[in-house]
Amino acid sequence: MELDFERCYRAVDSRDQRFDGWFYTGVTSTGIYCRPSCPAITPKRKNVRFFPSAAAAQGIGLRACRRCRPDAAPGSPLWDVRADVVGRAMRLIADGVVDRDGVPGLASRLGYTERHLHRMLSAEMGAGPLALARAQRAQTARILIETTGLPMAEIAFAAGFGSIRQFNDTLREVYASAPSDLRTARGRQQAPTGAGTIALRLAYRPPLHAQALLDFLAVRALPGVDEVRDGTYHRGLRLPHGTGQVALTPADGHVAATLRLADLRDLAPAVARCRRLLDLDADPAAIDATLAADPALAPAVAAEPGIRVPRAVDGFEMAVRAIIGQQVSVTAAQKSLTRLLQTPTPTPTPTPDRVDHEVIADGVGVSRQQPHDHPGAGGPGAGGGGSGAGGLRGFLGAEELLALPDSGFGMPAARRETLRGLARAVVDGSLDLAAGVDREDAVRRLLALPGIGPWTANYLAMRAFGDPDVLLSTDLAVRRGAAALGLPDTPTTLDGYAERWRPWRSYATIRLWRAA
């Protein structure tokens, strides 16, 4: 990706926070790289280089600024919404695919050879998949080093490094400090949270209309899976190495995330999924500017800036919710989903004792190690059957849904068989519902399943796959919202009118729902 020097330099010169995560500023005279908004730099033009990723800056020997912490900036909205191979690769890397399956696994998921994938990522990001994954590991390790008392060997394993030597070498190169020096420089204090928690600050680009997100999630919450309470969204998680729970509390400039994980290797995937759920890597200034150009939407945008698209932590869960929600009210769908979840499922196999950890990122904390049976423990298949602390658990997995008896569905036989067809496709690998999926291919495969029509496939494209440009023009609530704003309210006429909202029609859909 080519970066326009003059535009980037103006953003740096004005300390414009809107560009944090879009690019990184390297200062060759000091050997550091920063966020565009870093207050510590006033670089001369001849000493400045701009990079599309932190990994690219690290690749020429620059270290991360200790003041602005550029590796903890909001993610790039460009890679968050792009549907091409590079965008998909960035989402999969953030979800930890390289750490779990290596570059061959990433390339296989994307349908390209390793060599061609490396070439594409290097051209766009200035670094290959290994370097991009390495930058993420370094950030995870820094958080654990600076805020816990964990042994360095355990941190290296949790962050995804293959050896202690690789861990030490990477941190010396990225931060110009030995791991022990990072810990000494930061210092530690007693964390305010209980045992078994990891507390993080998830940055976003303001504005964020937090209440709209909480309202949307609250009305669709399922007993035992998720809930909104006292301004905080709580839910259970199904993660690659086990289960977990998260509490997300919107605050000024960040979302406070308190995670409880059965396995610390799931830290990076859990963070990526929480960011995706709340659409924290969006660029609200660009979105709102486009929608506010329409006089019909301008008052709503002015009254409620920063509306996001509530997305998903689990593609299969969102698909089940969408199928059950076809042509019924939200209340009726919740009743059917609740019955489905309350049907007994096989008990997951217990996991070995775990270690409790307390972590405060961008803050302080300690580690309190106590072997115990983690209440949310379980492998990737653990979900509907096992519950975590507080009674929250992940949604049903595909295998668990297939094991349910007919009586557990509480819905017409055709819809029950649609759900089973979906689950079979996920289990046999013919349907991928992960964040890095090819959106167009996934929609085609969904439409090929009996009982799934355009509304369901497009709803999943918007919420599970992160497509920013979906208009659900046949949706009754969308049409009511359009009518309330004086807009055309038939599918054909609304589709035509909505061309002016491209490429942000998913965000217009949320606003029309609110108008209804």
Side-chain angles (χ1 to χ4, degrees), residues 128-317:
L130 278 177
L132 292 163
R134 174 177 173 266
Q136 178 171 282
R137 290 187 203 114
Q139 180 189 359
T140 301
R142 188 207 71 204
I143 291 171
L144 296 176
I145 288 169
E146 294 181 343
T147 60
T148 79
L150 287 173
M152 294 298 177
E154 192 166 341
I155 289 174
F157 173 71
F161 288 97
S163 69
I164 297 296
R165 180 176 179 179
Q166 183 189 60
F167 164 73
N168 288 329
D169 290 347
T170 297
L171 267 70
R172 284 192 178 98
E173 182 178 338
V174 173
Y175 300 113
S177 297
S180 57
D181 294 335
L182 288 174
R183 173 165 285 171
T184 301
R186 186 68 168 177
R188 299 190 307 279
Q189 300 176 18
Q190 180 66 33
T193 49
T197 63
I198 303 173
L200 304 164
R201 291 185 174 192
L202 307 181
Y204 61 79
R205 292 174 188 80
L208 172 72
H209 198 296
Q211 194 58 51
L213 278 170
L214 294 177
D215 289 346
F216 188 96
L217 295 169
V219 77
R220 293 163 177 80
L222 295 172
V225 174
D226 59 345
E227 64 179 357
V228 174
R229 186 175 69 252
D230 300 327
T232 297
Y233 176 66
H234 304 260
R235 74 154 295 140
L237 298 170
R238 300 168 60 89
L239 297 164
H241 299 103
T243 58
Q245 292 181 75
V246 65
L248 298 166
T249 308
D252 186 19
H254 69 275
V255 172
T258 303
L259 287 151
R260 182 160 188 166
L261 303 175
D263 192 316
L264 272 183
R265 289 177 295 171
D266 284 327
L267 176 56
V271 169
R273 295 176 193 197
C274 290
R275 295 193 65 84
R276 191 160 63 242
L277 171 68
L278 300 184
D279 197 18
L280 296 185
D281 293 323
D283 184 353
I287 296 163
D288 287 354
T290 298
L291 299 184
D294 182 349
L297 291 183
V301 173
E304 297 184 332
I307 292 288
R308 310 292 172 114
V309 175
R311 287 161 61 181
V313 296
D314 183 331
F316 178 73
E317 172 187 342

Side-chain angles (χ1 to χ4, degrees), residues 336 339-340 343-344 404-411 416 420:
S336 294
R339 177 171 177 175
L340 192 74
T343 302
L404 292 178
D406 289 354
S407 59
F409 288 82
M411 62 189 69
R416 179 184 68 219
R420 285 177 170 161

